[in-house]
Amino acid sequence: NYFIIPGYIMGRRPWKCYRYCKNKPYPKSRYCRGVPEGKIRLFDLGNKKGILEEMPLCVHLVSREIEQISSESIEAARVASNKYLVKNVGKESFHLKVRVHPFHVIRINKMLSCAGADRLQSGMRGAYGKPNGKAARVKLNQPIFSVRTKLNKLHETIEAFKRAKNKFPGKQKILVSNNWGFTYLSRENFNNNNHPEYQQNLFRKVENDGSYFKLVKP
């Protein structure tokens, strides 16, 4: 005397089951098939082609733990931070970049939770699960999000990243970079042609190249 409820779908398993990097990375491949696509689709938002000189400020959201982050939480954080930045900074005044990618496949060994389920399944025998989602593996001090914007929009950017932090497990830190935008050149010496950063290889002139720059011989 047992019955199965038709169309019964269990809720998502809590992320404490998948939070820690226990085993090797398990990416999608010809051996690992039937993987659902990650929830996140956009990795660059705002004014992607904004001129380098217009957005000198750079802020990073950095992970303070070695852990796994689900594609759902990355998407939720992206939506939350983008929504706040568009409203308070303006969509032409920032460029938000998602720095992690969910390549790691999460598995689940589905169990029936109805009356008489023990007759239909074999417990822990053959417990290797089926693909159930995707996650990004994050290292210590690895940037999760980065944004470049105008110098007077620092507080709005930090507030946007505070809202993004609420969507992630573990600890994150918000760091304000000394570099000009997404480049490796510092803000102090960005236009200083006599600085050692420009003297190497006789490259002197910095030329705008979208969100980055080119070092051109004089």
Side-chain angles (χ1 to χ4, degrees):
N1 297 325
Y2 59 88
F3 60 92
I4 298 171
I5 303 168
Y8 175 74
I9 300 169
M10 194 182 129
R12 273 182 71 208
R13 195 175 271 188
W15 195 248
K16 64 184 178 184
C17 306
Y18 301 110
R19 180 174 160 185
Y20 301 106
C21 299
K22 289 181 184 174
N23 303 314
K24 293 177 184 177
Y26 186 56
K28 182 180 177 180
S29 67
R30 58 182 173 169
Y31 310 109
C32 172
R33 297 183 297 276
V35 179
E37 282 303 314
K39 291 287 181 286
I40 184 158
R41 283 271 171 235
L42 298 169
F43 290 85
D44 276 280
L45 299 111
N47 190 3
K48 294 177 278 189
K49 295 181 179 178
I51 300 168
L52 191 67
E53 280 83 357
E54 287 182 359
M55 294 187 256
L57 180 69
C58 182
V59 183
H60 303 290
L61 180 65
V62 175
S63 173
R64 293 295 297 140
E65 285 187 27
I66 302 168
E67 60 178 350
Q68 294 182 162
I69 296 173
S70 69
S71 64
E72 288 87 354
S73 66
I74 298 169
E75 173 67 6
R78 181 193 71 80
V79 169
S81 54
N82 182 58
K83 196 172 184 178
Y84 188 85
L85 287 169
V86 167
K87 188 177 178 182
N88 295 282
V89 176
K91 64 180 180 181
E92 294 300 315
S93 301
F94 75 94
H95 175 194
L96 176 67
K97 210 175 184 66
V98 179
R99 301 283 296 278
V100 292
H101 199 292
F103 285 121
H104 182 70
V105 176
I106 297 298
R107 297 191 304 268
I108 186 169
N109 180 29
K110 281 189 179 168
M111 309 285 273
L112 294 170
S113 58
C114 54
D118 52 329
R119 294 161 181 258
L120 302 173
Q121 58 195 22
S122 51
M124 289 299 289
R125 181 180 290 179
Y128 196 85
K130 289 196 165 63
N132 186 46
K134 280 184 162 185
R137 297 188 135 211
V138 180
K139 296 175 186 171
L140 188 68
N141 295 329
Q142 181 179 344
I144 302 171
F145 286 180
S146 293
V147 70
R148 63 187 182 108
T149 184
K150 295 176 178 175
L151 283 169
N152 60 345
K153 301 295 182 184
L154 176 62
H155 296 296
E156 290 86 346
T157 309
I158 290 171
E159 180 58 35
F161 277 171
K162 279 182 182 175
R163 292 173 183 228
K165 273 172 68 175
N166 295 332
K167 311 295 180 186
F168 293 125
K171 295 176 186 173
Q172 290 81 32
K173 252 188 177 175
I174 299 166
L175 300 180
V176 180
S177 173
N178 290 325
N179 293 352
W180 188 289
F182 293 154
T183 69
Y184 64 84
L185 302 173
S186 61
R187 280 204 299 274
E188 291 175 16
N189 302 308
F190 184 71
N191 292 315
N192 180 6
N193 290 342
N194 297 317
H195 195 265
E197 287 173 349
Y198 305 108
Q199 294 289 347
Q200 56 188 353
N201 300 326
L202 296 175
F203 288 138
R204 298 283 179 88
K205 197 181 173 195
V206 176
E207 237 180 53
N208 183 32
D209 188 27
S211 64
Y212 208 66
F213 67 91
K214 288 186 285 195
L215 288 170
V216 184
K217 281 185 180 177

